[in-house]
Amino acid sequence: MVDIYNGHTDVYGIIGNPIEHSFSPILQNTVASAMSENASYLPFRVDNDNVEAAIKGAYALGIRGLNITVPYKKTVMNYLCDIDDTAKMIGAVNTLKWTENGYVGYNTDILGFGKSCDINGIRIKDKKVMLLGAGGAANAVSILTANRDAEKIIIVNRTKEKAEKLKKLVLSTGYSGEIKVIGYSDIKNNAADILINATSVGMGKDRDNSPLDGYVDTDFLNNVSYCIDVIYIPWETKFLRYAKECGCKTVNGFDMLIFQGIASFEIWHERHIENSTAKELRDSLAKYFIEVSGGQC
Ligand code: ATR
């Protein structure tokens, strides 16, 4: 007898393509169970041509909330009744909440990064933050950094135009600190308290590389307090390994993943999860994630 679900169970899910490797079903079902919600969360692989039909169908079925992942975080914005200001500013939605008028879109990546900083004791106010990368992941990180009043934000990117566009986005938040764009060869001429890798270097085909390769020496990293990576597969990137060897405190991208998910849960259920509970959930999910990945992560 399976009696976890019944006629009152609320259904949630995630839409993307591919979706098979998503950790969100385990994350959301674990959080729902820990918070005693009668809810179930499933993955849905949706083809490009079917995004509109999927959103309309999910709404008709009364699916209470959805996460949206690659490659639909922008496309989905066409099918919502409202979009919150932060998601509008970032230009991407990763969370939909069912309302009487349609789905409302949110972006919880900023909240997730903020909570990751809070729980790891990372203070951004009045700090010099250096951000590697200017893609989607860098958007949320840079806006949170601006919102928390960093003294200075240094954006490092291969493609200068993308970095300049990100700088404009940060300035549109009303950020009044210093912000500049540099290339990798200039990193060593700048100082940073917090260094964040928001590039894809360190995972997939670039697993054995670090974005810092050939650009900095130990002296540079000795003066950095925290190194943060948005990557969590592998669990410790070359970037973080080297940073740790140089005495920096390190945080990988798993915390951002978990806390953006917890922020989605909070929106859907209109409940607040205390930091102490969020941290416990993070710890048990991390243990599980490392175990099931068989040391491959
Ligand atoms: P995401 O949404 O995950 O951030 P993205 O939008 O494709 O992905 O952005 C990837 C980021 O990684 C970009 O900042 C990219 O730099 P460019 O804008 O110059 O392309 C960066 N990146 C990818 N490969 C890189 C490499 N080999 N060296 C340095 N930066 C790299």
Side-chain angles (χ1 to χ4, degrees):
M1 183 83 74
V2 177
D3 68 350
I4 319 167
Y5 309 120
N6 53 39
H8 297 284
T9 303
D10 284 332
V11 180
Y12 296 82
I14 180 164
I15 287 180
N17 190 4
I19 205 66
E20 293 75 12
H21 303 294
S22 172
F23 190 64
S24 292
I26 292 166
L27 154 58
Q28 292 295 348
N29 287 314
T30 301
V31 175
S33 166
M35 301 306 289
S36 306
E37 291 287 347
N38 184 355
S40 173
Y41 182 106
L42 292 167
F44 299 104
R45 185 165 69 78
V46 173
D47 292 333
N48 200 31
D49 293 345
N50 284 329
V51 178
E52 181 175 7
I55 300 298
K56 289 190 171 156
Y59 183 77
L61 286 169
I63 292 184
R64 311 305 297 171
L66 286 166
N67 281 128
I68 308 295
T69 188
V70 179
Y72 303 131
K73 289 185 179 187
K74 284 188 192 297
T75 318
V76 80
M77 295 173 88
N78 297 315
Y79 313 120
L80 309 177
C81 71
D82 200 5
I83 297 172
D84 102 320
D85 289 344
T86 307
K88 262 189 219 151
M89 185 170 56
I90 296 193
V93 157
N94 76 338
T95 301
L96 309 191
K97 179 178 165 67
W98 195 98
T99 72
E100 288 293 334
N101 301 323
Y103 281 121
V104 177
Y106 299 85
N107 189 308
T108 62
D109 290 335
I110 296 182
L111 296 168
F113 183 58
K115 206 162 204 151
S116 172
C117 290
D118 293 340
I119 287 178
N120 288 290
I122 303 171
R123 272 177 56 88
I124 287 172
K125 191 169 164 42
D126 299 330
K127 295 290 189 319
K128 295 182 190 68
V129 178
M130 186 180 283
L131 175 63
L132 311 178
N139 281 5
V141 169
S142 60
I143 290 174
L144 188 275
T145 306
N147 288 348
R148 296 226 170 153
D149 297 324
E151 177 198 313
K152 186 172 179 178
I153 301 175
I154 305 162
I155 303 171
V156 187
N157 204 46
R158 265 186 328 193
T159 317
K160 194 160 183 239
E161 301 77 58
K162 263 167 91 179
E164 291 291 350
K165 200 168 157 212
L166 182 57
K167 178 179 164 182
K168 266 199 193 132
L169 178 72
V170 171
L171 288 172
S172 76
T173 67
Y175 177 64
S176 58
E178 192 184 338
I179 178 160
K180 69 175 182 177
V181 166
I182 63 168
Y184 280 89
S185 53
D186 251 344
I187 294 179
K188 59 181 180 307
N189 304 319
N190 288 270
D193 303 305
I194 300 169
L195 178 62
I196 304 164
N197 176 34
T199 74
S200 49
V201 185
M203 65 179 190
K205 65 175 173 43
D206 272 328
R207 195 185 168 105
D208 296 328
N209 302 326
S210 158
L212 296 178
D213 283 344
Y215 294 112
V216 300
D217 53 20
T218 329
D219 284 350
F220 174 81
L221 281 166
N222 280 340
N223 293 313
V224 176
S225 302
Y226 281 97
C227 282
I228 304 169
D229 206 322
V230 301
I231 298 170
Y232 57 93
I233 300 174
W235 190 255
E236 188 175 69
T237 54
K238 185 179 180 190
F239 167 77
L240 287 189
R241 205 164 48 244
Y242 186 45
K244 206 188 253 177
E245 279 165 22
C246 294
C248 307
K249 295 194 183 97
T250 60
V251 179
N252 75 3
F254 191 76
D255 285 21
M256 258 183 98
L257 169 76
I258 299 305
F259 298 135
Q260 62 79 32
I262 286 181
S264 296
F265 179 95
E266 290 179 322
I267 289 170
W268 293 328
H269 297 278
E270 297 177 7
R271 296 179 65 176
H272 173 64
I273 298 185
E274 295 295 334
N275 278 358
S276 55
T277 308
K279 189 173 176 307
E280 278 170 23
L281 285 163
R282 188 273 311 264
D283 290 346
S284 59
L285 285 161
K287 189 165 173 277
Y288 174 82
F289 184 81
I290 291 167
E291 269 168 23
V292 294
S293 68
Q296 293 306 302
C297 64

